[in-house]
Every structure is written in C-alpha cells, then in structure tokens.
Amino acid sequence: MPASSPSASPCSGVYMVFFGFLYLVSLQEENPPLSAESRWKDQAETVIIGGGCIGVSLAYHLAKAGMKDVVLLEKSELTAGSTWHAAGLTTYFHPGINLKKIHYYSIKLYEKLEEETGQVVGFHQPGSIRIATTPVRVDEFKYQMTRTGWHATEQYIIEPEKIQEMFPLLNMNKILAGLYNPGDGHIDPYSLTMALAAGARKYGALLIYPAPVTSLKPRSDGTWDVETPHGSMRANRIVNAAGFWAREVGKMIGLEHPLIPVQHQYIITSTIPEVKALKRELPVLRDLEGSFYLRQERDGLLFGPYESQEKMKVQDSWVANGVPPGFGKELFESDLDRIMEHVEAAMDLVPVLRKADIVNIINGPITYSPDILPMVGPHQGVRNYWVAIGFGYGIIHAGGVGKYLSDWILHGEPPFDLIELDPNRYGKWTTTEYTEAKARESYGFNNIVGYPKEERFAGRPTQRVSGLYKTLESKCSMGFHAGWEQPHWFYKPGQDPGYRPSFHRTNWFEPVGSEYQQVMQRVGVIDLSPFGKFNIKGQDSIRLLDHLFANVIPKVGFTNISHMLTPKGRVYAELTVSHQSPGEFLLVTGSGSELHDLRWIEEEAVKGGCDVEIKNVTDELGVLGIAGPYSRKVLQKLTSDDLSDNVFKFLQTKSLKVSNIPVTAIRISYTGELGWELYHRREVSAALYDAIMNAGQEEGIDNFGTYAMNALRLEKAFRAWGSEPADFIGKQALKQIKAKGLKRRLVCLTLATDDVDPEGNESIWYDGKVVGNTTSGSYSYRIQKSLAFAYVPVELSKVGQQVEVELLGKNYPAVVIQEPLVLTEPTRSRLRKTGGNDKI
C-alpha cells in the first residue's frame, strides 16, 4: 500500500481535495459576522462553552424545546478541536443498554435534520458489520443480541455467505459470523454541526465566536459571571462542552476533570477500481481482532485503527502544560509505523487495499475519560455547573446527548437513567497518573471482547483502598468499585486464582457456591468499605429527609431502607437511613452512587433553605459485614453489649465497642441472613477484622465476597417501602401512576440452564415475541437453578406463568415464582416464634 506524501497539515493540497468544499466554508466562517457580536447579551439562561458537535447540539435542543436566552460561546470557530477531523461513524450498536438509546436518537435526528434545517449533512446509511473470526466473538455477538431484542434497534447475526454478498471485497478465510446493524453508516461532522447550528439559530439560540471564555465566577445566588474579551455575561447555568479544552475550563473553578488527549489516526486511500465498480456503497466494517474500522470514502476506502496501549500516543505535553492557546484546526504529524500491524490486518481482510495509494493520514486529538465513557450532567459540589465532556465518539453521541441534557435541564430530571455517564463517578482519587493509565488501557481495549463481570487492571490500586486491602489481596479476586478494591470471591489452595472472564460459568462458580454455604450454614465476613457514607445533622435535618425520601424517617436508634424519587416518580437512589441521635443521621448508598446521590441531597438542601450540615465520610469510615447463623455468637465474644434478639433488634443501630474498638453497629445484612454492619474508623479495619476472625475460629468463620452476597440477596427479593410518609419528592407522580394502572410488573423467574446464567438485560420471550427484559440475575445455590428478576406485561405476571429467557442465542424455559425464593432470617425467626412455616 504505497503512500503519496501524506501531510499532517489540514491545508495540504490532497486534504483540500477531500474536504475541499467544506474547508472553504470553514474559512468563510472563521470571522463571525459583526451582527453576532452586536447581539451580545448581558444575561443568559444557559451558557454553553464549546462549539463542537456536542455543544451545538445542546444549543439546538434547548432552543427548540423553548428555552429563551440560550448562548453558545466558542473560542475560535465552530467544529474546531476534535469535531472537524472526525471520521464521522454512526452506529446503533453499543454494549451498554442505556447508551443504545443515545445512539438511536442521534441517528433518527440526523435522518431528518437536512429537511428541518435546509442544510446538507452528508449522511450515508449503508449499514455496518462487526466481524467475528473466533468462537468467543460469536458468543459475544449472541450475548449482545439478547440485549437488543427489547430495544427498537435492528440488529442481526449474519452468516459468512451474507457477509460476502454485502461486502464482496473481503477475504473470507477466517470469518465465522457478522453482527449486522441496518441503518448504521457515517456523516460529515462539519456539515452535521453546521446544520445543528442553523437549527439552533432558527429557534432563537445565539452562537458567538470567536469568544474565548477567560474566567468563570460563581455568585452566591447560584448564577455565574462568564468573562470573555467581549465582556461579561450573567448565566443561570453554564455547560462545559469544551472538548479537549474542558480541563482548562474546569481549572477556572478549581476542578480537575479526568480527561486525557490522545492521538487517533485514520487513513484515506485514492480511488480503488474495485470499489468504484460497485453498484452500492459498502457497509462500514469493524474487524474486532484486527482492531480497526473501515468504510467507503467516495471511490476509495477510509480505515482507522486502535493500536495497543503500549503503542498508542497520549499528548503528554497537553496534560502537563495545557492545550496550546492557538490550537484549533491543526493536526499532528502522522506516524504510519505506529499503526502498521493494523494496516497489515486491514490489507489481509480487504486485499484490494494492497495496491491502493494513501492520499492522506489524519492524526488528530480526541479526548478520553478513564473508562472511555463521556461525563454528562450536573457536577457535585458546584451549583449550576454542568458538563458534556470526554467524548471519544462525539459524532454518534451528539444528537442523543443534546436531547438528554436538554430534557434534564428543562424538566429537573433526566429522561432515563444514565448513571454510567455521571461526571460524579470520579473523585479525588482520580489522579492524572490514574487517568492516563486508564485512558491508554481504554483506547487499546476498544475492540476487546466485552465479557460480563469484566475487570480492567491499569492504574490499580488507587489511593482508595480499605484497611483490609493488604490482608486480603493475596486471598481473593478483587473488583473495582468507584476507586476501591473489594473482594469479589475468594480462592483456596489448589483452586485457580486467575481472572478468567467468560460468557459461561467460569473458575469462580464453585468457590462462590462455597461462600454461599458458608454464610447460610456458619458465619462469614465481608469488606463493605466502598459504600458511600454521609453524615447529616442540623435543625432541619428531619425536614430535609422527609422531603427527600419516600418513606417514614426512622426513630432514633433505628434504620430503614428508603428511596429518593424524582419529581416524575422514578427511583433516583436507594439508601440506608440510620437515625443515630436526635436529628443526626448516617446515610449509606452503593459505591457507584456516592457523589451521584450526594449531589442530589445537597441540591435539595439548598433549594429548601435547610439549615443542615452534610458531610461525606466515605473515605473516613471502613465497614465490615458479618453474617450467618453464628454471627451473633462470634460478635458477642467481643463486646459487653447484649446482642440478643430482644435487645438488639433487626434494623436497630447502636454505638458499641467490639474488641475495644468503637463501632456503629447496624443489625442489617444484604445477605438477608442474621448479621451486622460495623462502621468504624478506616485505619482500624485490620485490627477489627483480625479480632473477629480470631473469635470465630470455633464457629468455622471465613471470608465471602460480593458475588456470593449478590446470590444471597437475589434469593431474598428485598422490598422495603414505608407506609404513608410525608410529602416527599415524586409523591404526586406516584399517585398518578397508581391511578392509571401499571402496564408491566417486576417478577421473579427461575430457569434451568446448562452452564450459563442470566446477568440482567436479557430478552424475555413469549409466544415467539420479545415481551420484556430481565433486570438482574444469578445462579441460586439453594435450588440449583438460575434466578432472575424481570419486567413482563401485567397479564404475564401471575405465579406459574411460563415464559422464556434468551441466553447466548438459546431460549430457556422460565417460570414466574412466588417471591422471595428464600425468606430473610428475621422473617424466619418471627415465623418460628408464632408457629408458622419457616422452611420456604
């Protein structure tokens, strides 16, 4: 594949041929009309910083939805940064359930944008094919198919013969199957952005450029002063959509957004006779083992690789010194050697590439977050500061994220859950070193097999390890949870300790079964330190929690499980609420929800004018869980406080000493068995753990991890709703939902499989049609069958109803059962006292 003098300059002659018309338009847009500046506003409802496709899409959607005074400020010209040089791929596919909705909306918007705005967008939809050349890839395709059946997206597994028919230039020697998405394709990023800009202006938004933001000053009332060379603008909210300048914008207000600029290259060929002779456009191709994408570009081909983390290039100078002030529509020097193994793979798969000339190699900056997903939404700790940053795939995300954020801003809540994009999933533990290590890994892993329960190990451990990390790390397989290392499962001598991901049952299946029996029959200990933990106190603390939670506030010395709802009645979060002393509470949430939930609590406290002190004590407190029929006997050896059932009741909380170590003990366990959670200073975790393990030798005490806890918890089918609480957020919406009646219900299913178990998000079939989806699943070691929770139509929700669950391309018979499968220990204890049946 000979190269014809590739150039890194966007103004090279060949590049001008490729982008000729578009780049000439860009030159005309470089100096905005004076009317834009003359329409400068002193005040705005929303100021969007950044004129790439993401920021312009948000301006379009806000203005179209009716928001007045939407202003976008761009430092140089629209599309400068990463948008203008993007390859422009669009796909319905995403392994994440919720991001499929973002992709779907984007494509549907792009299909009608030209008609709406009168601007040509250059949208091609020849479809796309992901290529499987190994059996495990075929399993991955089957795994993804069951997660698509209950979505609107079309997706099919196709045979090699069909692949060759659709893409006749392929070498078919290794191809086993393809994952085909009709409607996928590519769009011209510049034209897309200009169409969105035309729409934004049409609906009343003001786009001002060049207008670099030089300073952001928060005001006491929650508004912002936005400083530019043109003057100052007062904004009710600001949205950072500044692409690879987002770090600089964040630093203006003291935030360190975990973003890394990386170099991404793609190659454009000259005309290829075999391509020119085709009667229809080739589908976009993704060779997952070769780690590259390839599409038709006029009568030639365009292909871009994702090289390994060892070979990929981070723009280190930008990390250390910031983005060069004048950088806008420039490119980096190309480096063909760095991607040569992928070029060879492409030529092997598409042999006509071997005799094609390279007319350009584009090497431009894109921005990566540690986990490759963008950060979208309001930021914790800073009022009315929103972000839409970290987009490695901004073109396909632009439409959907613009709509998603617009709905959230206008209606006070997101239209659906996208917690995986929450900017608050990162924290102080996300250092630059960690971010760079993860960005390298994420880039290099772009096309690796996406297994369930996947773990990635770069940048670990962070500074956020529990006091037990050194004690347990050689005994277990750790999982990563919001910066923490937490045991997933423990191995014994002679057992395979390795990380062995699979779509089938793997090396942890038997050890987890042993841990399950450990808790059910004896006593187990688990490290729960990653829980998010908040102290709330003050004269308005009860008023605030009454407003936040759809449950009654527990009495002093008691705990309950409560839910925060959105105004539309959706569950925003589930927390454990413990009333420790009059007006002082400990709130506990899942590790991945820590700052997500804290932001909501803080925001509602401000809105309500509540006189409260809210303190995040997540890093200060360690948590040990102890559970099983002998847990009381073991703990009683270490404390003088009476732990008997009549004195220390279920859902009570007390301060006591265990082995002379102060703890806050809550009688609760997510296993559903007799147990306590012991909250203590993080630095004494190892001493507390050693004392408990030594005291429990006679009872056969041992460790268990989160996999076993999940199996135990699902069997208990936990529900915890209050009776008639105060006027909480979402109460009226719930009443309306109840009055209208439900269309579907959450049911518990059992199913007999072979060596595969449900994880959640699988399709539910009935009478040859997809009728619902699972929400979670596991293997039940009690009944030795798979267990899943699923949403199904009300008419299919009765106990005994037969349905099917799709797993790896096969439908397994399932039946709706009476839940819970196993009664919780407190319920069994109560039934024993009243003479009831406790053997369910």
Side-chain angles (χ1 to χ4, degrees):
M1 185 177 218
S4 54
S5 302
S7 170
S9 168
C11 297
S12 69
V14 174
Y15 197 77
M16 288 288 284
V17 170
F18 175 61
F19 276 108
F21 171 73
L22 299 179
Y23 198 73
L24 288 173
V25 172
S26 167
L27 291 174
Q28 293 169 5
E29 289 276 352
E30 279 189 4
N31 296 307
L34 291 176
S35 59
E37 291 188 21
S38 65
R39 291 178 58 207
W40 179 266
K41 293 184 176 183
D42 293 328
Q43 291 189 327
E45 179 67 24
T46 299
V47 167
I48 301 162
I49 304 171
C53 60
I54 301 294
V56 177
S57 174
L58 178 57
Y60 161 84
H61 282 93
L62 285 172
K64 185 175 182 179
M67 178 177 282
K68 306 300 181 183
D69 297 326
V70 176
V71 177
L72 181 145
L73 302 175
E74 161 55 42
K75 72 185 297 293
S76 57
E77 59 179 304
L78 299 185
T79 77
S82 295
T83 297
W84 74 280
H85 63 73
L89 300 182
T90 57
T91 177
Y92 284 113
F93 177 87
H94 195 280
I97 295 303
N98 295 315
L99 275 165
K100 289 182 192 296
K101 300 176 185 177
I102 296 291
H103 288 209
Y104 184 85
Y105 177 88
S106 290
I107 290 176
K108 294 305 178 186
L109 172 67
Y110 301 165
E111 287 175 345
K112 62 185 181 183
L113 197 57
E114 183 173 328
E115 179 183 353
E116 179 184 348
T117 66
Q119 297 281 322
V120 174
V121 298
F123 194 19
H124 298 247
Q125 295 184 273
S128 79
I129 306 172
R130 284 170 168 76
I131 298 296
T133 56
T134 66
V136 74
R137 285 290 184 188
V138 178
D139 273 352
E140 182 185 24
F141 289 179
K142 293 175 181 177
Y143 180 79
Q144 286 301 330
M145 280 301 298
T146 188
R147 283 154 172 72
T148 303
W150 51 284
H151 280 265
T153 300
E154 278 192 87
Q155 184 169 289
Y156 309 98
I157 293 179
I158 57 177
E159 298 297 320
E161 294 76 17
K162 183 65 175 177
I163 297 171
Q164 188 166 36
E165 177 189 331
M166 297 174 70
F167 204 120
L169 306 180
L170 289 180
N171 172 4
M172 300 298 296
N173 287 345
K174 299 178 182 178
I175 295 176
L176 301 178
L179 192 65
Y180 172 53
N181 286 100
D184 282 11
H186 55 96
I187 195 168
D188 174 59
Y190 181 90
S191 299
L192 167 65
T193 306
M194 291 305 164
L196 289 167
R201 293 187 185 103
K202 172 183 175 181
Y203 298 117
L206 179 60
L207 281 58
I208 305 175
Y209 51 96
V213 173
T214 56
S215 174
L216 296 171
K217 297 177 180 178
R219 297 172 55 85
S220 59
D221 63 354
T223 62
W224 291 85
D225 285 334
V226 182
E227 304 283 349
T228 79
H230 302 289
S232 179
M233 185 178 295
R234 181 74 48 80
N236 288 345
R237 75 185 53 77
I238 55 178
V239 183
N240 182 351
F244 53 66
W245 286 284
R247 293 177 71 242
E248 276 73 8
V249 173
K251 287 178 179 179
M252 292 180 186
I253 58 173
L255 294 178
E256 289 284 343
H257 293 308
L259 300 171
I260 293 290
V262 304
Q263 295 186 15
H264 177 63
Q265 301 185 91
Y266 62 85
I267 295 171
I268 305 164
T269 77
S270 61
T271 295
I272 299 172
E274 292 87 346
V275 175
K276 187 175 183 178
L278 295 170
K279 295 182 179 180
R280 62 174 182 268
E281 184 175 351
L282 292 167
V284 177
L285 204 68
R286 290 176 175 86
D287 181 355
L288 303 177
E289 304 308 322
S291 193
F292 66 85
Y293 58 82
L294 181 147
R295 69 169 176 83
Q296 187 171 334
E297 175 55 40
R298 299 189 177 182
D299 292 330
L301 295 172
L302 177 156
F303 63 100
Y306 290 97
E307 58 268 40
S308 69
Q309 58 185 306
E310 294 80 16
K311 291 187 176 181
M312 63 85 67
K313 186 171 177 56
V314 167
Q315 193 62 20
D316 295 303
S317 62
W318 291 13
V319 177
N321 307 316
V323 182
F327 196 96
K329 286 197 169 181
E330 291 76 33
L331 295 170
F332 302 123
E333 191 68 35
S334 60
D335 184 358
L336 191 58
D337 290 341
R338 198 169 77 226
I339 59 174
M340 201 60 211
E341 67 179 279
H342 304 280
V343 174
E344 293 286 349
M347 291 190 297
D348 183 57
L349 185 65
V350 187
V352 296
L353 279 172
R354 293 192 179 276
K355 52 186 178 181
D357 288 335
I358 295 175
V359 296
N360 221 325
I361 302 175
I362 311 303
N363 185 14
I366 56 175
T367 307
Y368 263 47
S369 69
D371 63 6
I372 214 170
L373 296 176
M375 289 170 267
V376 177
H379 204 287
Q380 185 271 329
V382 190
R383 291 174 65 191
N384 297 317
Y385 174 75
W386 296 61
V387 298
I389 58 179
F391 289 86
Y393 315 98
I395 304 304
I396 185 56
H397 287 152
V401 165
K403 171 65 171 171
Y404 180 84
L405 263 185
S406 172
D407 285 354
W408 194 346
I409 289 170
L410 289 166
H411 304 305
E413 64 178 282
F416 53 90
D417 177 47
L418 257 180
I419 194 171
E420 59 265 47
L421 303 193
D422 193 328
N424 306 299
R425 67 188 185 271
Y426 300 116
K428 294 178 180 178
W429 53 271
T430 317
T431 62
T432 300
E433 293 75 19
Y434 169 84
T435 302
E436 180 169 341
K438 296 304 287 188
R440 286 183 176 279
E441 178 186 59
S442 293
Y443 186 91
F445 281 8
N446 249 285
N447 291 305
I448 67 163
V449 176
Y451 290 105
K453 293 183 169 62
E454 181 188 53
E455 289 292 322
R456 297 187 176 186
F457 298 98
R460 296 170 54 182
T462 71
Q463 63 192 39
R464 212 176 202 194
V465 294
S466 82
L468 294 182
Y469 177 70
K470 291 184 178 179
T471 302
L472 300 179
E473 64 172 325
S474 63
K475 303 176 182 178
C476 67
S477 177
M478 291 280 189
F480 189 74
H481 299 270
W484 297 87
E485 299 290 333
Q486 186 176 28
H488 275 172
W489 61 280
F490 289 81
Y491 40 78
K492 301 296 183 184
Q495 292 179 335
D496 179 3
Y499 172 62
R500 306 280 185 259
S502 175
F503 296 104
H504 303 265
R505 293 171 189 161
T506 183
N507 59 329
W508 54 260
F509 182 76
E510 296 297 337
V512 170
S514 298
E515 293 172 31
Y516 172 95
Q517 298 299 338
Q518 176 71 34
V519 174
M520 291 298 293
Q521 298 174 6
R522 293 180 291 279
V523 56
V525 175
I526 185 171
D527 184 5
L528 300 173
S529 297
F531 280 162
K533 319 165 198 80
F534 319 126
N535 277 335
I536 298 182
K537 61 182 178 180
Q539 67 179 30
D540 290 334
S541 59
I542 292 178
R543 179 167 72 89
L544 172 63
L545 299 190
D546 250 341
H547 176 66
L548 282 171
F549 291 112
N551 203 348
V552 293
I553 303 304
K555 298 177 181 178
V556 175
F558 282 87
T559 295
N560 68 18
I561 297 173
S562 295
H563 295 81
M564 294 193 297
L565 304 184
T566 68
K568 292 185 178 179
R570 299 189 181 104
V571 175
Y572 182 83
E574 178 185 273
L575 294 89
T576 300
V577 180
S578 297
H579 202 161
Q580 296 181 295
S581 61
E584 183 169 355
F585 297 85
L586 173 66
L587 273 57
V588 180
T589 188
S591 57
S593 303
E594 176 195 345
L595 299 181
H596 168 271
D597 295 358
L598 181 60
R599 183 201 65 80
W600 184 273
I601 294 167
E602 290 174 337
E603 188 174 289
E604 291 302 322
V606 170
K607 286 181 183 177
C610 298
D611 182 5
V612 293
E613 177 186 328
I614 303 170
K615 185 179 181 182
N616 186 356
V617 294
T618 298
D619 289 347
E620 297 175 22
L621 298 182
V623 189
L624 279 182
I626 181 170
Y630 297 146
S631 56
R632 177 184 286 119
K633 185 176 180 182
V634 172
L635 274 187
Q636 192 65 78
K637 298 177 186 180
L638 300 172
T639 182
S640 58
D641 286 75
D642 189 349
L643 303 182
S644 63
D645 192 52
N646 292 331
V647 177
F648 203 143
K649 298 178 181 178
F650 178 58
L651 294 180
Q652 268 194 293
T653 176
K654 295 184 179 184
S655 295
L656 47 86
K657 288 187 175 181
V658 174
S659 190
N660 212 33
I661 297 172
V663 304
T664 295
I666 304 175
R667 193 180 150 194
I668 193 173
S669 173
Y670 282 110
T671 65
E673 296 305 305
L674 175 66
W676 282 262
E677 291 175 358
L678 306 176
Y679 294 77
H680 55 276
R681 301 297 301 179
R682 183 174 164 188
E683 58 268 21
V684 300
S685 291
L688 181 61
Y689 171 84
D690 288 342
I692 293 172
M693 296 302 283
N694 289 331
Q697 291 303 303
E698 183 180 340
E699 289 75 20
I701 198 168
D702 209 343
N703 299 291
F704 71 103
T706 58
Y707 286 1
M709 184 170 71
N710 185 57
L712 289 156
R713 185 182 186 185
L714 281 170
E715 287 184 348
K716 306 305 193 306
F718 284 115
R719 297 289 188 274
W721 290 89
S723 51
E724 183 58 25
D727 191 17
F728 56 86
I729 299 171
K731 183 176 182 179
Q732 295 307 313
L734 281 187
K735 287 183 176 180
Q736 293 174 10
I737 292 170
K738 183 177 180 180
K740 291 179 180 178
L742 296 174
K743 295 181 179 179
R744 59 179 190 162
R745 290 186 184 277
L746 187 68
V747 298
C748 185
L749 301 172
T750 59
L751 56 157
T753 67
D754 28 55
D755 68 338
V756 60
D757 298 298
E759 294 278 334
N761 298 316
E762 292 92 0
S763 296
I764 303 296
W765 291 76
Y766 179 75
D767 197 22
K769 297 179 181 178
V770 175
V771 295
N773 62 281
T774 62
T775 60
S776 59
S778 179
Y779 181 78
S780 169
Y781 293 92
R782 167 63 67 92
I783 62 170
Q784 297 184 8
K785 289 183 179 181
S786 292
L787 180 69
F789 286 95
Y791 277 114
V792 298
V794 170
E795 60 270 23
L796 298 179
S797 65
K798 294 180 181 179
V799 173
Q801 176 68 53
Q802 301 278 339
V803 292
E804 294 176 322
V805 178
E806 182 184 348
L807 298 170
L808 292 184
K810 179 180 177 182
N811 286 9
Y812 291 89
V815 62
V816 177
I817 65 165
Q818 180 69 49
E819 56 180 274
L821 181 64
V822 179
L823 294 177
T824 63
E825 182 277 334
T827 303
R828 299 197 304 266
S829 178
R830 186 172 65 251
L831 287 172
R832 281 194 296 269
K833 291 177 181 178
T834 59
N837 180 10
D838 67 336
K839 300 294 185 182
I840 299 178

